[in-house]
């Protein structure tokens, strides 16, 4: 866990560092058509608030995942071998953070986002326990009654192998991903609110391996006048 007294991160000696693969099954493709809305960046900055909303249509969820995570460049000549460029900056270009989508409504699609195939895949375990745990957590932390939680998680193996004192890099990566998700949601006309939890329990209940760590979550909601709620900072659950 990164705290402000943690030692400075230090790159280890150069060399290839392998990553573990997480095998997904039952990959469900997300809609392939992903347009880019003509939105002004400064309107997005000015308009973003923490809000909850309604159920998120799969197509809109797909747009959010695509725009927020799209791979722009991948090289193999970094000091630790593979590096990538995506909308969010990441220490060493390692990008160890992935997203697990968990809807409050058990009928909506749940699973790990696979950006290579733009699809959502399951693990061996039934999703029901993770959906129930997540629903309880979202209810405790926000006023949401609908929507889809994007749980950030990472296998820290590769980052640990590349850096001494890697923890603060991982948490800073998580903050950057959180901001990108919130801004992208705003640009797409979706509501988003970060969740103050780590989410380890939810990630493991979904079937992710024990070495995976939860790195916070962003709850997404569809925007509609009936469901929109701007988070009230005077409420107990918003003081995080
Ligand atoms: C790391 C982090 C954790 C947060 N956790 C929660 C939370 O658990 N519940 C919630 O309603 N809002 C949460 N928020 C949202 C803040 O309460 C919100 O950003 C703040 O009140 C300012 O409002 P604004 O985002 O609309 O500008 C969190 C924000 C951050 C950055």
């Amino acid at each position: 866990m990164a705290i402000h007294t943690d030692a400075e991160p230090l790159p280890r000696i150069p060399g290839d560092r392998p990553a573990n693969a997480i095998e997904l099954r039952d990959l469900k493709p997300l809609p392939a058509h992903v347009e880019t809305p003509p939105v002004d960046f400064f309107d997005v900055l000015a308009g973003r608030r923490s809000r909850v909303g309604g159920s998120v249509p799969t197509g809109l969820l797909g747009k959010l995942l695509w725009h927020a995570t799209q791979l722009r460049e991948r090289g193999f000549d970094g000091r630790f071998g593979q590096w990538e460029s995506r909308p969010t900056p990441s220490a060493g270009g390692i990008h160890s953070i992935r997203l697990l989508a968990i809807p409050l409504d058990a009928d909506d699609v749940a699973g790990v986002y696979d950006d290579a195939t733009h699809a959502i895949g399951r693990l061996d375990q039934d999703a029901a326990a993770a959906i129930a745990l997540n629903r309880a957590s979202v209810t405790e932390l926000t006023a949401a009654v609908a929507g889809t939680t994007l749980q950030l998680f990472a296998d820290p193996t590769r980052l640990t192998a590349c850096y001494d004192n890697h923890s603060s890099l991982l948490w800073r990566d998580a903050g950057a991903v959180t901001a990108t998700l919130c801004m992208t949601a705003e640009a797409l006309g979706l509501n988003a609110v970060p969740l103050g939890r780590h989410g380890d329990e939810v990630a493991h209940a979904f079937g992710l391996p024990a070495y995976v760590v939860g790195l916070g979550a962003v709850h997404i909601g569809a925007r509609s006048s009936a469901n929109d709620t701007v988070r009230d900072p005077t409420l107990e659950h918003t003081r995080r």
Side-chain angles (χ1 to χ4, degrees):
M1 185 65 59
I3 54 173
H4 69 284
T5 52
D6 275 2
E8 287 286 355
L10 287 174
R12 296 181 194 260
I13 50 167
D16 270 1
R17 302 291 197 277
N20 296 314
I22 293 174
E23 297 294 333
L24 300 176
R25 60 181 182 81
D26 299 338
L27 278 170
K28 289 201 170 37
L30 291 162
H33 182 65
V34 180
E35 80 272 12
T36 303
V39 182
D40 186 289
F41 179 68
F42 293 97
D43 288 342
V44 172
L45 281 180
R48 186 217 58 81
R49 296 299 312 270
S50 294
R51 297 183 186 93
V52 299
S55 292
V56 185
T58 308
L60 264 176
L61 184 69
K63 284 182 198 168
L64 172 63
L65 292 167
W66 173 265
H67 283 296
T69 68
Q70 60 178 291
L71 178 68
R72 300 181 300 205
E73 198 178 344
R74 176 178 285 149
F76 298 92
D77 55 353
R79 65 181 156 185
F80 303 121
Q82 180 176 307
W83 62 271
E84 292 175 346
S85 175
R86 294 175 183 267
T88 301
S90 169
I94 290 172
H95 289 279
S96 23
I97 296 179
R98 298 189 62 183
L99 300 171
L100 166 62
I102 316 177
L104 292 201
D105 181 346
D107 290 338
D108 288 348
V109 62
V112 174
Y113 180 55
D114 180 52
D115 68 294
T117 56
H118 189 52
I120 285 189
R122 302 289 283 263
L123 299 162
D124 285 333
Q125 221 150 296
D126 187 272
I131 291 174
L133 263 180
N134 181 63
R135 192 185 299 114
S137 160
V138 170
T139 305
E140 185 193 340
L141 294 170
T142 76
V145 293
T148 294
T149 306
L150 296 178
Q151 172 65 46
L152 281 60
F153 72 89
D155 166 6
T157 310
R158 188 157 182 252
L159 196 64
T160 312
C162 296
Y163 292 91
D164 285 331
N165 313 316
H166 74 283
S167 283
S168 81
L169 296 177
L170 199 51
W171 282 102
R172 280 179 275 172
D173 272 15
V177 169
T178 300
T180 299
L181 286 171
C182 291
M183 295 299 180
T184 309
E186 176 65 28
L188 291 169
L190 285 165
N191 290 341
V193 56
L195 302 181
R197 73 184 195 206
H198 306 154
D200 282 338
E201 276 193 343
V202 173
H204 296 149
F206 194 79
L208 285 162
Y211 57 76
V212 157
V213 290
L215 292 162
V218 180
H219 189 70
I220 307 297
R223 195 164 290 176
S224 80
S225 50
N227 283 315
D228 272 19
T229 312
V230 176
R231 304 303 320 121
D232 177 353
T234 61
L235 292 177
E236 179 61 32
H237 66 240
T238 66
R239 287 195 209 120
R240 287 175 183 264

